[in-house]
Amino acid sequence: MAKAPKILILNGPNLNMLGTRQPEVYGTATLADIEAACEQRARDLGLAAECRQSNSEGELVGWIQAARDQVQAVIINPGAYSHTSVAILDALLAVDLPVVEVHLSNIHRREEFRHHSYVSKAAQGVICGFGPRGYIMALEALAAQLIESQET
Ligand code: CA2
């Protein structure tokens, strides 16, 4: 049987605190809950999900660089680095993989400084405002796209 396409799911700074503070903004699910749901949905879709979180920009860049030739797509919630990090943008552009950027909150309804994301320039699509479901939506979109590309 063919190997399941692998999707790297990256979460940036402070997302390890999900479920502990600011539930009115970010909900009550923990990062472990979200990662378990992603792994399960990925399996159901015939994909393999590898989930990682870091508070360090350099570590995220390293993981993105290492993803080249190892995974078929990247889902990333860069957290606050979305609004500051040209380094993460450049790493994503360099690996040349389909990228879906996910935000739990609708960044466009929030403070002005959250409205711009450097990372979006490297993303095929951006999903924001659906809470943890956004990661599942990203997996479903990538699965449909990977199947389509196998057919053509
Ligand atoms: O809405 C999102 O997913 C964000 O990427 C979350 C980031 C924020 O800086 C972005 O503008 C939008 C912040 C994540 C912080 O998560 C926390 C979770 C619980 C308690 C405190 C912070």
Side-chain angles (χ1 to χ4, degrees), residues 80-84 101 107-108 111-121:
Y81 289 144
S82 316
H83 319 300
T84 62
E101 178 182 355
I107 54 176
H108 302 289
E111 302 95 322
E112 189 82 30
F113 68 85
R114 295 186 202 273
H115 296 183
H116 176 261
S117 166
Y118 285 97
V119 172
S120 299
K121 182 91 183 146

Side-chain angles (χ1 to χ4, degrees), residues 113-145:
F113 68 85
R114 295 186 202 273
H115 296 183
H116 176 261
S117 166
Y118 285 97
V119 172
S120 299
K121 182 91 183 146
Q124 182 182 348
V126 182
I127 298 170
C128 73
F130 289 97
R133 185 170 291 125
Y135 296 86
I136 303 295
M137 292 163 77
L139 277 169
E140 290 174 350
L142 288 169
Q145 186 165 277

Side-chain angles (χ1 to χ4, degrees), residues 19-28 104-105 110:
T20 63
R21 287 190 180 81
Q22 292 185 266
E24 67 290 355
V25 184
Y26 298 119
T28 54
L104 294 156
S105 62
R110 301 186 64 193

